[in-house]
Short mmCIF file of all heavy atoms in Angstrom, two decimals:
data_model
loop_
_atom_site.label_atom_id
_atom_site.label_comp_id
_atom_site.label_asym_id
_atom_site.label_seq_id
_atom_site.Cartn_x
_atom_site.Cartn_y
_atom_site.Cartn_z
N ARG Q 1 130.71 -17.05 -163.68
CA ARG Q 1 131.21 -16.09 -162.70
C ARG Q 1 132.13 -15.07 -163.37
O ARG Q 1 132.08 -13.86 -163.14
CB ARG Q 1 131.95 -16.80 -161.57
CG ARG Q 1 131.00 -17.57 -160.63
CD ARG Q 1 131.70 -17.89 -159.29
NE ARG Q 1 132.90 -18.68 -159.46
CZ ARG Q 1 132.90 -20.00 -159.48
NH1 ARG Q 1 131.77 -20.68 -159.35
NH2 ARG Q 1 134.05 -20.62 -159.62
N ILE Q 2 133.03 -15.64 -164.23
CA ILE Q 2 133.98 -14.75 -164.93
C ILE Q 2 133.21 -13.75 -165.81
O ILE Q 2 133.52 -12.53 -165.83
CB ILE Q 2 134.95 -15.57 -165.76
CG1 ILE Q 2 135.88 -16.37 -164.85
CG2 ILE Q 2 135.77 -14.70 -166.70
CD1 ILE Q 2 136.77 -17.37 -165.58
N LEU Q 3 132.26 -14.23 -166.57
CA LEU Q 3 131.49 -13.37 -167.44
C LEU Q 3 130.72 -12.29 -166.63
O LEU Q 3 130.61 -11.11 -167.04
CB LEU Q 3 130.51 -14.21 -168.28
CG LEU Q 3 131.15 -15.12 -169.33
CD1 LEU Q 3 130.09 -15.99 -169.99
CD2 LEU Q 3 131.88 -14.29 -170.39
N GLY Q 4 130.19 -12.71 -165.45
CA GLY Q 4 129.45 -11.75 -164.61
C GLY Q 4 130.36 -10.65 -164.07
O GLY Q 4 129.99 -9.45 -164.04
N LEU Q 5 131.57 -11.05 -163.62
CA LEU Q 5 132.53 -10.08 -163.08
C LEU Q 5 132.99 -9.13 -164.17
O LEU Q 5 133.14 -7.90 -163.95
CB LEU Q 5 133.71 -10.82 -162.45
CG LEU Q 5 133.40 -11.60 -161.16
CD1 LEU Q 5 134.59 -12.46 -160.74
CD2 LEU Q 5 133.05 -10.61 -160.02
N LEU Q 6 133.24 -9.65 -165.37
CA LEU Q 6 133.67 -8.79 -166.48
C LEU Q 6 132.55 -7.82 -166.84
O LEU Q 6 132.80 -6.63 -167.16
CB LEU Q 6 134.04 -9.65 -167.70
CG LEU Q 6 135.32 -10.47 -167.56
CD1 LEU Q 6 135.50 -11.40 -168.78
CD2 LEU Q 6 136.54 -9.55 -167.44
N ASP Q 7 131.37 -8.29 -166.79
CA ASP Q 7 130.23 -7.43 -167.10
C ASP Q 7 130.11 -6.32 -166.04
O ASP Q 7 129.79 -5.17 -166.37
CB ASP Q 7 128.95 -8.25 -167.15
CG ASP Q 7 127.76 -7.44 -167.59
OD1 ASP Q 7 127.79 -6.90 -168.73
OD2 ASP Q 7 126.76 -7.41 -166.84
N TYR Q 8 130.37 -6.66 -164.79
CA TYR Q 8 130.33 -5.68 -163.69
C TYR Q 8 131.38 -4.61 -163.90
O TYR Q 8 131.13 -3.41 -163.72
CB TYR Q 8 130.52 -6.40 -162.35
CG TYR Q 8 130.51 -5.47 -161.17
CD1 TYR Q 8 129.32 -4.98 -160.61
CD2 TYR Q 8 131.74 -5.03 -160.64
CE1 TYR Q 8 129.35 -4.12 -159.54
CE2 TYR Q 8 131.76 -4.16 -159.55
CZ TYR Q 8 130.55 -3.71 -159.01
OH TYR Q 8 130.60 -2.83 -157.94
N LEU Q 9 132.60 -5.04 -164.30
CA LEU Q 9 133.69 -4.09 -164.53
C LEU Q 9 133.34 -3.13 -165.66
O LEU Q 9 133.69 -1.94 -165.61
CB LEU Q 9 134.98 -4.83 -164.88
CG LEU Q 9 135.67 -5.55 -163.70
CD1 LEU Q 9 136.87 -6.34 -164.21
CD2 LEU Q 9 136.12 -4.54 -162.62
N GLU Q 10 132.68 -3.62 -166.67
CA GLU Q 10 132.33 -2.75 -167.78
C GLU Q 10 131.30 -1.71 -167.36
O GLU Q 10 131.31 -0.54 -167.82
CB GLU Q 10 131.81 -3.58 -168.95
CG GLU Q 10 132.86 -4.38 -169.64
CD GLU Q 10 132.28 -5.21 -170.78
OE1 GLU Q 10 131.04 -5.24 -170.96
OE2 GLU Q 10 133.07 -5.88 -171.49
N LYS Q 11 130.39 -2.07 -166.52
CA LYS Q 11 129.30 -1.15 -166.13
C LYS Q 11 129.71 -0.21 -165.01
O LYS Q 11 129.22 0.95 -164.91
CB LYS Q 11 128.08 -1.97 -165.72
CG LYS Q 11 127.43 -2.67 -166.89
CD LYS Q 11 126.21 -3.43 -166.41
CE LYS Q 11 125.51 -4.10 -167.58
NZ LYS Q 11 124.30 -4.85 -167.14
N TYR Q 12 130.54 -0.72 -164.09
CA TYR Q 12 130.88 0.10 -162.91
C TYR Q 12 132.39 0.32 -162.88
O TYR Q 12 133.12 -0.27 -162.06
CB TYR Q 12 130.42 -0.60 -161.64
CG TYR Q 12 128.93 -0.91 -161.65
CD1 TYR Q 12 128.48 -2.17 -161.98
CD2 TYR Q 12 128.00 0.09 -161.34
CE1 TYR Q 12 127.12 -2.47 -161.99
CE2 TYR Q 12 126.64 -0.20 -161.36
CZ TYR Q 12 126.20 -1.48 -161.69
OH TYR Q 12 124.88 -1.78 -161.71
N ASP Q 13 132.90 1.10 -163.80
CA ASP Q 13 134.35 1.34 -163.87
C ASP Q 13 134.81 2.36 -162.82
O ASP Q 13 135.99 2.62 -162.66
CB ASP Q 13 134.72 1.84 -165.27
CG ASP Q 13 133.89 3.05 -165.68
OD1 ASP Q 13 132.97 3.40 -164.97
OD2 ASP Q 13 134.19 3.58 -166.77
N GLU Q 14 133.90 2.97 -162.07
CA GLU Q 14 134.28 3.93 -161.05
C GLU Q 14 134.28 3.31 -159.64
O GLU Q 14 134.17 3.99 -158.64
CB GLU Q 14 133.29 5.10 -161.08
CG GLU Q 14 133.34 5.91 -162.37
CD GLU Q 14 132.36 7.05 -162.38
OE1 GLU Q 14 131.59 7.16 -161.40
OE2 GLU Q 14 132.36 7.82 -163.34
N GLY Q 15 134.37 2.06 -159.57
CA GLY Q 15 134.38 1.39 -158.27
C GLY Q 15 135.66 1.68 -157.50
O GLY Q 15 136.66 2.12 -158.05
N THR Q 16 135.63 1.39 -156.23
CA THR Q 16 136.78 1.61 -155.37
C THR Q 16 137.86 0.62 -155.70
O THR Q 16 137.62 -0.41 -156.34
CB THR Q 16 136.39 1.49 -153.89
OG1 THR Q 16 135.99 0.15 -153.67
CG2 THR Q 16 135.28 2.48 -153.54
N LYS Q 17 139.03 0.98 -155.21
CA LYS Q 17 140.18 0.09 -155.46
C LYS Q 17 139.99 -1.24 -154.77
O LYS Q 17 140.32 -2.30 -155.29
CB LYS Q 17 141.45 0.77 -154.96
CG LYS Q 17 142.70 -0.01 -155.29
CD LYS Q 17 143.94 0.76 -154.85
CE LYS Q 17 145.21 0.02 -155.22
NZ LYS Q 17 146.41 0.76 -154.81
N ALA Q 18 139.43 -1.20 -153.58
CA ALA Q 18 139.21 -2.44 -152.83
C ALA Q 18 138.22 -3.33 -153.56
O ALA Q 18 138.39 -4.55 -153.64
CB ALA Q 18 138.70 -2.13 -151.42
N ASP Q 19 137.21 -2.68 -154.16
CA ASP Q 19 136.23 -3.49 -154.92
C ASP Q 19 136.88 -4.09 -156.14
O ASP Q 19 136.63 -5.27 -156.48
CB ASP Q 19 135.03 -2.62 -155.34
CG ASP Q 19 134.19 -2.18 -154.14
OD1 ASP Q 19 134.22 -2.91 -153.11
OD2 ASP Q 19 133.48 -1.18 -154.26
N ASN Q 20 137.69 -3.28 -156.79
CA ASN Q 20 138.36 -3.80 -158.00
C ASN Q 20 139.30 -4.95 -157.66
O ASN Q 20 139.38 -5.95 -158.39
CB ASN Q 20 139.13 -2.69 -158.71
CG ASN Q 20 138.20 -1.64 -159.33
OD1 ASN Q 20 137.03 -1.96 -159.64
ND2 ASN Q 20 138.68 -0.42 -159.52
N ASN Q 21 140.02 -4.79 -156.59
CA ASN Q 21 140.94 -5.89 -156.18
C ASN Q 21 140.14 -7.16 -155.86
O ASN Q 21 140.57 -8.29 -156.16
CB ASN Q 21 141.77 -5.46 -154.97
CG ASN Q 21 142.81 -4.40 -155.33
OD1 ASN Q 21 143.23 -4.30 -156.50
ND2 ASN Q 21 143.22 -3.59 -154.36
N HIS Q 22 139.01 -6.93 -155.20
CA HIS Q 22 138.17 -8.12 -154.87
C HIS Q 22 137.66 -8.80 -156.15
O HIS Q 22 137.65 -10.06 -156.26
CB HIS Q 22 137.01 -7.67 -153.99
CG HIS Q 22 136.08 -8.80 -153.66
ND1 HIS Q 22 136.42 -9.81 -152.76
CD2 HIS Q 22 134.81 -9.07 -154.09
CE1 HIS Q 22 135.43 -10.64 -152.68
NE2 HIS Q 22 134.41 -10.21 -153.50
N ILE Q 23 137.28 -7.97 -157.12
CA ILE Q 23 136.78 -8.54 -158.40
C ILE Q 23 137.90 -9.28 -159.12
O ILE Q 23 137.71 -10.41 -159.65
CB ILE Q 23 136.19 -7.43 -159.28
CG1 ILE Q 23 134.89 -6.88 -158.65
CG2 ILE Q 23 135.91 -7.94 -160.71
CD1 ILE Q 23 134.37 -5.61 -159.33
N ILE Q 24 139.10 -8.67 -159.15
CA ILE Q 24 140.24 -9.31 -159.83
C ILE Q 24 140.58 -10.64 -159.15
O ILE Q 24 140.87 -11.65 -159.80
CB ILE Q 24 141.46 -8.37 -159.84
CG1 ILE Q 24 141.17 -7.18 -160.75
CG2 ILE Q 24 142.72 -9.11 -160.30
CD1 ILE Q 24 142.22 -6.05 -160.65
N SER Q 25 140.52 -10.60 -157.82
CA SER Q 25 140.81 -11.83 -157.07
C SER Q 25 139.78 -12.91 -157.42
O SER Q 25 140.12 -14.10 -157.61
CB SER Q 25 140.79 -11.53 -155.56
OG SER Q 25 141.00 -12.72 -154.82
N SER Q 26 138.50 -12.52 -157.54
CA SER Q 26 137.45 -13.50 -157.90
C SER Q 26 137.65 -14.02 -159.31
O SER Q 26 137.45 -15.22 -159.59
CB SER Q 26 136.06 -12.84 -157.75
OG SER Q 26 135.81 -12.46 -156.42
N LEU Q 27 138.08 -13.07 -160.23
CA LEU Q 27 138.36 -13.52 -161.60
C LEU Q 27 139.49 -14.55 -161.63
O LEU Q 27 139.44 -15.57 -162.35
CB LEU Q 27 138.71 -12.32 -162.49
CG LEU Q 27 137.55 -11.43 -162.91
CD1 LEU Q 27 138.07 -10.15 -163.60
CD2 LEU Q 27 136.62 -12.21 -163.87
N ARG Q 28 140.54 -14.27 -160.87
CA ARG Q 28 141.67 -15.23 -160.84
C ARG Q 28 141.22 -16.57 -160.30
O ARG Q 28 141.58 -17.63 -160.84
CB ARG Q 28 142.78 -14.64 -159.98
CG ARG Q 28 144.03 -15.55 -159.94
CD ARG Q 28 145.14 -14.94 -159.09
NE ARG Q 28 145.70 -13.78 -159.79
CZ ARG Q 28 145.58 -12.54 -159.40
NH1 ARG Q 28 144.87 -12.25 -158.29
NH2 ARG Q 28 146.11 -11.53 -160.08
N LYS Q 29 140.44 -16.52 -159.23
CA LYS Q 29 140.00 -17.77 -158.62
C LYS Q 29 139.12 -18.56 -159.60
O LYS Q 29 139.28 -19.78 -159.79
CB LYS Q 29 139.23 -17.51 -157.33
CG LYS Q 29 138.78 -18.78 -156.60
CD LYS Q 29 138.10 -18.42 -155.30
CE LYS Q 29 137.69 -19.69 -154.55
NZ LYS Q 29 136.82 -20.54 -155.32
N SER Q 30 138.19 -17.84 -160.24
CA SER Q 30 137.31 -18.53 -161.21
C SER Q 30 138.11 -19.06 -162.40
O SER Q 30 137.84 -20.15 -162.93
CB SER Q 30 136.22 -17.55 -161.70
OG SER Q 30 135.38 -17.15 -160.64
N SER Q 31 139.14 -18.29 -162.85
CA SER Q 31 140.00 -18.76 -163.96
C SER Q 31 140.78 -20.02 -163.57
O SER Q 31 140.92 -20.96 -164.37
CB SER Q 31 140.97 -17.64 -164.37
OG SER Q 31 140.27 -16.52 -164.85
N LEU Q 32 141.29 -20.03 -162.33
CA LEU Q 32 142.01 -21.22 -161.86
C LEU Q 32 141.07 -22.44 -161.78
O LEU Q 32 141.46 -23.57 -162.14
CB LEU Q 32 142.65 -20.93 -160.48
CG LEU Q 32 143.83 -19.95 -160.49
CD1 LEU Q 32 144.28 -19.62 -159.05
CD2 LEU Q 32 145.01 -20.51 -161.30
N ASP Q 33 139.86 -22.15 -161.27
CA ASP Q 33 138.89 -23.27 -161.22
C ASP Q 33 138.59 -23.79 -162.62
O ASP Q 33 138.51 -25.01 -162.85
CB ASP Q 33 137.58 -22.80 -160.56
CG ASP Q 33 137.75 -22.54 -159.06
OD1 ASP Q 33 138.74 -23.07 -158.49
OD2 ASP Q 33 136.87 -21.87 -158.49
N LEU Q 34 138.44 -22.84 -163.55
CA LEU Q 34 138.18 -23.25 -164.93
C LEU Q 34 139.36 -24.03 -165.52
O LEU Q 34 139.18 -25.02 -166.24
CB LEU Q 34 137.86 -22.02 -165.77
CG LEU Q 34 137.51 -22.27 -167.24
CD1 LEU Q 34 136.26 -23.16 -167.34
CD2 LEU Q 34 137.26 -20.95 -167.98
N ASP Q 35 140.57 -23.58 -165.19
CA ASP Q 35 141.78 -24.29 -165.68
C ASP Q 35 141.81 -25.73 -165.15
O ASP Q 35 142.14 -26.68 -165.89
CB ASP Q 35 143.01 -23.51 -165.27
CG ASP Q 35 144.29 -24.17 -165.76
OD1 ASP Q 35 144.45 -24.33 -167.01
OD2 ASP Q 35 145.11 -24.60 -164.93
N LEU Q 36 141.49 -25.89 -163.87
CA LEU Q 36 141.49 -27.25 -163.29
C LEU Q 36 140.45 -28.14 -163.99
O LEU Q 36 140.70 -29.32 -164.28
CB LEU Q 36 141.18 -27.16 -161.78
CG LEU Q 36 142.31 -26.59 -160.91
CD1 LEU Q 36 141.83 -26.44 -159.46
CD2 LEU Q 36 143.55 -27.50 -160.96
#
């Protein structure tokens, strides 16, 4: 999931702020899951 979201950010850097916040939130959640 993390790799997919990072790949999305690299390709679509002109996304809306709401989309970016949603992606960052998903990255944090996936990172926390990975930490657990």
Side-chain angles (χ1 to χ4, degrees):
R1 288 198 301 271
I2 292 172
L3 292 174
L5 290 172
L6 290 174
D7 185 60
Y8 179 81
L9 287 175
E10 288 179 355
K11 290 181 178 181
Y12 304 99
D13 53 353
E14 295 180 356
T16 64
K17 185 176 182 179
D19 292 334
N20 291 336
N21 289 336
H22 178 72
I23 291 170
I24 292 170
S25 177
S26 297
L27 285 171
R28 182 179 290 111
K29 182 177 182 302
S30 296
S31 298
L32 289 174
D33 290 340
L34 182 60
D35 181 60
L36 288 175

